[in-house]
Amino acid sequence: MIDAYTGYAPTLVGLTLLVAVMASLAGFCLALRVRLSQGLSQRLWWAGGSLVMGLGMWSTHFIGSRATLVMAGLPRELLPTLISLVFGVLTSALALAIIQTRWLSACKLVLGGSVMGIGIALMHYIGISALHVGGPMSYDPLLFMLSIVIAVNGSMGALWLSFRLKPEEGRKITLWKTGSGALVMGMAISGMVYTAIAAVEFPHQGVALQIGSTMPDRLAFTIAFAAIGIMLIVLVLSIYDAHLTSSNARLAASLRKANFELKALVSCDPLTRLPNRLLLEERLDALLTQGEAGKEFAVFFVDLDRFKTINDSLGHHSGDELIQQVASRLKVAVRNSDMLARVGGDEFMIVSAENTDKASSATIAKRIVSSLSKAFQIDDNLVRITTSVGISRYPADGVEKHALMIHADAAMYSAKDAGRNTFKFFEPGMNSVTEKRARLESRLRDAIDNDALTLAYQPKVNVVTGEITGVEALLRWHDAELGHVPPDEVIPVAEETGLILQIGEWVLKTACQQSMDWHAQGYPLLKMAVNLSAIQLNNRNFMEVVRRVLSQTQLPAQYLELELTESAIMQNPDRASMILRRLRKLGITLSIDDFGTGYSNLSQLKRFPINCLKIDRSFTSGVNSDAQDAAIVKAVVAMAHSLNLEVVAEGIETQEQLAFIREIKGQQYQGYLCSKALSSEDFQAFLKERFPINA
Ligand code: C2E
Ligand code: MG
Ligand code: MG
């Protein structure tokens, strides 16, 4: 009800303020939605927002006018009332359009605020002009000006606030900030409305008083509640949309993060933190497509020689440690602009795209080979390795990624063939390892089917008496296409393909049978030594195979010796220990082959029931020239004696070497000094010479 003394209805004044605050709140929230949405939804928020905000502002004017004694209940003309509403909507549309822009310059603030303020004033004064007051209205110029100033300043304040309330990166807008902003704005709008109302001077105040009603104004309440209702709905909608957007944004952000981590994971080698093959190939793709065609670059393939042996004998932990140290040294050896990647267990690749003429590629390769040839300290062991490097060059050796990689790989294998510890540039005719392997495998399968494998025999000799103490069976394969393929090449392929089980059983049986055959011809029964691969030892049926061969050939078990490398035993030491015990129980002699190359030590070997150590040729060959080799061989023989192990010196080629072994009390030797590995017939001839009486 309108207070007759003040001339205002307090409830409606309160409602004006409430609607104004709600309109401001809706304005700020809608401004955010418009800013954060895109495309059609942005346009929809803008249009809907303009309507709702416009309606809200217009309602403040409407309710305000109905709250005064002088205007309440006055009839209105429809057209100017609608035009007034249109001005409210247009002003809101302008406000939301300005808020969408990135920056609020001073010029934009003043100009935008002024246009908005004038828009609001127009909305209001056109609205008032719709009232039938029974004569021309006039305005108090001071209050009129003041109302415009409030409208312009209020609009500028609203613009400024909505930019202030814009969410910056990493900052959240707090509810109280928006709420207090809306309160200030609401007060400014209401202030403007009531100042403008006060500015109106009616022609016949008395008439107006009579016309005006002191009864509660239903229409004003209806409009107020309708406006509040609509704005509430819009607020809820905008909060819901904000929630959706932020969960979408969170989802997008976590997807981005997951993608990033996934990419890092799939493109990085976890052990060395170096790029992996994937990233290296991407780099190659980029170089090949970047339009840098014509610009030379080089691809290096780096492979550690005999890494598997170290890994097997020292354990995987040490193998990993070695790879990490190798990676660190490689990082130093290459240049900052080069990409170094780990592409396999002990394989690294480098893409070198800056200054890569042949000479500087060779310099890098030399640096790699020499830096990796220095000893590595792995736990308590000093480990020495060598490295083979292959280099292919763009565009000379290929203009396509795979060709460059395969050619670098082929060059690396050629470096290995050339004795390892070196590097090679790709040359036409070098076959990639895959091609070589595939060919070797298929020929080997044929060789097995056609019984083309043979055995050669090398005697073991007593160091003191020169008597033959036994014989070692060594695999031989002469292929019509590939020529003579040494066991060092055959065995790895056979191991990879599983053919080793078939070959191994054939070797065992043929060797045992051979021993019995020679014996049948009157020669003394010789102890036959057969080399075993780790795969055979770890095979479930191995004991059965040994028993079967012994029973088929009738060779007494004490005339069979099995040679195993340290790495073969160390691959699965528990199982090896169990199998070796069973073999020993049968009476079979067990030897450690190539002793010294496997990095294990005697104390580790103590737990295995072995009879004999065969000192590797790489040590015995240097006993007369290299003090360190001599010291090692001497120490090994002394330790072997203390552990009650026989010693066989491998690869004895000279009398001097033999004299050294005799001096340090090694018991047996093998080597070219006595005899090379001989074919079955030649070995029989050899026996005939030694044992003429029996022939
Ligand atoms: P290994 O068991 O240590 O055999 C000794 C190797 O040294 C043989 O090479 C032999 O011909 C060579 N050799 C012997 N005395 C001398 C010498 O005085 N000077 C020089 N320079 N070399 C000498 P081969 O036959 O090429 O065998 C190489 C390796 O292949 C063998 O080393 C053995 O580990 C493996 N192997 C050979 N046959 C078989 C087999 O049937 N099964 C398995 N699993 N491995 C085999
Ligand atoms: Mg051997
Ligand atoms: Mg050996």
Side-chain angles (χ1 to χ4, degrees):
M1 189 179 293
I2 295 177
D3 189 307
Y5 180 70
T6 57
Y8 289 96
T11 356
L12 287 181
V13 172
L15 264 182
T16 317
L17 185 64
L18 182 64
V19 172
V21 171
M22 290 281 298
S24 311
L25 199 62
F28 290 142
C29 293
L30 290 166
L32 253 183
R33 303 291 14 105
V34 173
R35 196 197 308 278
L36 296 178
S37 49
Q38 281 169 346
L40 180 68
S41 86
Q42 187 181 45
R43 281 197 290 278
L44 282 177
W45 274 117
W46 180 61
S50 307
L51 260 175
V52 172
M53 254 176 87
L55 184 73
M57 283 207 299
W58 181 82
S59 305
T60 57
H61 143 78
F62 186 85
I63 306 163
S65 64
R66 307 287 288 201
T68 60
L69 193 58
V70 284
M71 294 182 196
L74 284 179
R76 280 171 178 269
E77 266 182 52
L78 186 63
L79 189 66
T81 305
L82 283 181
I83 294 176
S84 142
L85 179 61
V86 168
F87 268 97
V89 174
L90 286 179
T91 310
S92 304
L94 174 73
L96 288 178
I98 295 175
I99 293 166
Q100 272 180 59
T101 57
R102 261 180 103 76
W103 305 108
L104 182 67
S105 62
C107 175
K108 205 190 281 177
L109 179 70
V110 172
L111 210 72
S114 304
V115 175
M116 274 171 66
I118 291 167
I120 293 169
L122 275 171
M123 169 194 83
H124 187 72
Y125 286 108
I126 294 175
I128 286 183
S129 75
L131 293 169
H132 284 290
V133 290
M137 269 186 268
S138 61
Y139 298 95
D140 179 324
L142 215 71
L143 286 175
F144 178 77
M145 286 308 292
L146 187 64
S147 73
I148 305 245
V149 170
I150 294 177
V152 170
N153 279 303
S155 301
M156 292 203 298
L159 281 182
W160 183 79
L161 267 176
S162 70
F163 271 87
R164 287 284 304 175
L165 294 174
K166 176 173 152 182
E168 299 290 331
E169 255 176 66
R171 265 202 334 196
K172 278 196 159 181
I173 334 156
T174 51
L175 197 66
W176 75 266
K177 259 189 181 173
T178 323
S180 45
L183 193 67
V184 172
M185 270 308 301
M187 278 158 61
I189 294 174
S190 316
M192 182 267 152
V193 164
Y194 285 103
T195 316
I197 287 170
V200 182
E201 286 168 354
F202 292 90
H204 313 290
Q205 292 272 337
V207 180
L209 271 175
Q210 279 164 24
I211 299 166
S213 159
T214 55
M215 288 313 288
D217 188 339
R218 275 224 189 121
L219 187 62
F221 277 107
T222 313
I223 296 268
F225 288 124
I228 290 175
I230 290 173
M231 286 188 293
L232 269 179
I233 290 172
V234 168
L235 271 176
V236 169
L237 275 179
S238 81
I239 289 169
Y240 178 68
D241 186 60
H243 173 74
L244 265 188
T245 315
S246 81
S247 39
N248 279 346
R250 262 202 307 278
L251 196 68
S254 51
L255 269 178
R256 255 200 313 276
K257 194 166 163 243
N259 264 339
F260 183 77
E261 281 168 2
L262 202 68
K263 176 133 201 229
L265 212 66
V266 297
S267 55
C268 171
D269 165 51
L271 182 64
T272 57
R273 296 257 143 237
L274 287 177
N276 63 10
R277 182 184 287 270
L278 203 74
L279 217 59
L280 181 111
E281 290 194 22
E282 269 181 25
R283 171 90 176 114
L284 273 176
D285 284 333
L287 277 174
L288 290 167
T289 52
Q290 251 168 26
E292 292 189 43
K295 192 182 167 201
E296 289 190 341
F297 63 83
V299 179
F300 294 67
F301 202 109
V302 179
D303 186 277
L304 308 183
D305 302 323
R306 299 197 181 91
F307 171 74
K308 196 173 170 297
T309 313
I310 299 167
N311 205 29
D312 289 344
S313 49
L314 285 186
H316 295 299
H317 165 74
S318 301
D320 285 354
E321 171 70 30
L322 178 63
I323 290 294
Q324 283 169 334
Q325 290 193 28
V326 165
S328 310
R329 287 198 197 172
L330 283 174
K331 272 187 218 162
V332 177
V334 301
R335 298 170 306 188
N336 284 342
S337 56
D338 300 337
M339 179 189 260
L340 166 67
R342 181 172 176 228
V343 295
D346 61 340
E347 294 165 350
F348 296 84
M349 281 185 90
I350 298 152
V351 174
S352 184
E354 303 264 314
N355 297 330
T356 37
D357 53 58
K358 217 168 172 173
S360 53
S361 297
T363 312
I364 296 176
K366 269 184 211 151
R367 211 158 51 212
I368 289 171
V369 171
S370 98
S371 94
L372 296 185
S373 69
K374 295 184 187 89
F376 290 85
Q377 178 78 47
I378 308 288
D379 299 328
D380 294 334
N381 302 296
L382 262 190
V383 175
R384 277 180 193 283
I385 51 161
T386 55
T387 313
S388 303
V389 181
I391 309 162
S392 68
R393 292 157 46 72
Y394 173 87
D397 302 332
V399 289
E400 194 262 323
K401 178 176 71 180
H402 285 112
L404 286 164
M405 292 171 79
I406 286 172
H407 288 163
D409 181 67
M412 185 276 290
Y413 270 91
S414 147
K416 279 201 192 289
D417 284 346
R420 302 186 162 102
N421 201 25
T422 186
F423 69 93
K424 282 266 185 258
F425 282 101
F426 175 76
E427 280 167 25
M430 289 178 176
N431 282 323
S432 86
V433 65
T434 9
E435 288 163 356
K436 258 191 184 167
R437 284 259 157 131
R439 190 144 168 251
L440 202 68
E441 185 191 330
S442 105
R443 300 294 305 170
L444 184 60
R445 285 183 194 278
D446 286 353
I448 295 171
D449 292 346
N450 303 329
D451 277 332
L453 299 176
T454 57
L455 288 182
Y457 300 91
Q458 186 179 40
K460 292 186 182 180
V461 189
N462 183 308
V463 167
V464 181
T465 62
E467 282 171 20
I468 309 297
T469 55
V471 56
E472 179 179 3
L474 294 158
L475 188 68
R476 292 292 176 264
W477 175 29
H478 186 86
D479 181 73
E481 282 180 24
L482 304 170
H484 174 71
V485 190
D488 285 336
E489 277 181 39
V490 181
I491 301 297
V493 175
E495 284 180 336
E496 267 173 36
T497 50
L499 291 172
I500 190 70
L501 293 175
Q502 217 177 324
I503 296 175
E505 185 170 347
W506 174 83
V507 172
L508 191 66
K509 192 174 169 190
T510 311
C512 293
Q513 189 59 57
Q514 182 67 77
S515 205
M516 291 301 284
D517 287 353
W518 283 327
H519 184 48
Q521 290 177 37
Y523 300 108
L525 187 56
L526 291 173
K527 188 186 266 188
M528 179 60 73
V530 172
N531 294 284
L532 280 190
S533 145
I535 295 187
Q536 288 172 274
L537 188 68
N538 290 326
N539 185 261
R540 269 189 296 134
N541 300 327
F542 182 62
M543 285 307 299
E544 200 186 306
V545 169
V546 173
R547 284 202 191 95
R548 188 168 62 225
V549 166
L550 288 178
S551 87
Q552 280 173 351
T553 59
Q554 290 295 303
L555 180 77
Q558 49 277 24
Y559 284 92
L560 176 62
E561 178 174 343
L562 295 174
E563 296 189 6
L564 291 141
T565 58
E566 294 154 84
S567 57
I569 292 178
M570 293 303 177
Q571 256 184 31
N572 189 346
D574 294 336
R575 189 182 154 78
S577 170
M578 181 186 81
I579 299 289
L580 296 189
R581 264 166 229 292
R582 289 191 193 166
L583 293 169
R584 269 296 289 272
K585 252 195 189 150
L586 289 180
I588 294 168
T589 305
L590 300 172
S591 300
I592 299 294
D593 204 351
D594 304 342
F595 185 77
T597 57
Y599 302 98
S600 56
N601 53 45
L602 276 174
S603 62
Q604 272 176 300
L605 291 176
K606 243 175 26 191
R607 57 185 279 217
F608 300 103
I610 44 180
N611 310 83
C612 178
L613 284 188
K614 297 184 73 180
I615 303 176
D616 192 66
R617 179 158 54 96
S618 58
F619 299 103
T620 51
S621 63
V623 288
N624 302 116
S625 52
D626 188 314
Q628 206 182 357
D629 281 351
I632 290 171
V633 173
K634 209 168 165 179
V636 169
V637 172
M639 278 193 288
H641 285 165
S642 70
L643 289 169
N644 265 334
L645 298 174
E646 279 279 297
V647 172
V648 178
E650 292 187 304
I652 297 299
E653 295 181 353
T654 64
Q655 285 295 347
E656 289 76 23
Q657 288 167 345
L658 179 61
F660 179 87
I661 300 298
R662 200 180 290 129
E663 198 181 305
I664 61 168
K665 307 234 167 353
Q667 293 102 329
Q668 302 174 52
Y669 80 92
Q670 247 179 303
Y672 295 172
L673 180 64
C674 172
S675 169
K676 288 192 174 190
L678 303 169
S679 66
S680 165
E681 300 77 41
D682 290 349
F683 195 83
Q684 193 167 334
F686 171 85
L687 285 177
K688 200 173 175 181
E689 251 175 55
R690 295 272 171 148
F691 306 100
I693 327 136
N694 301 302

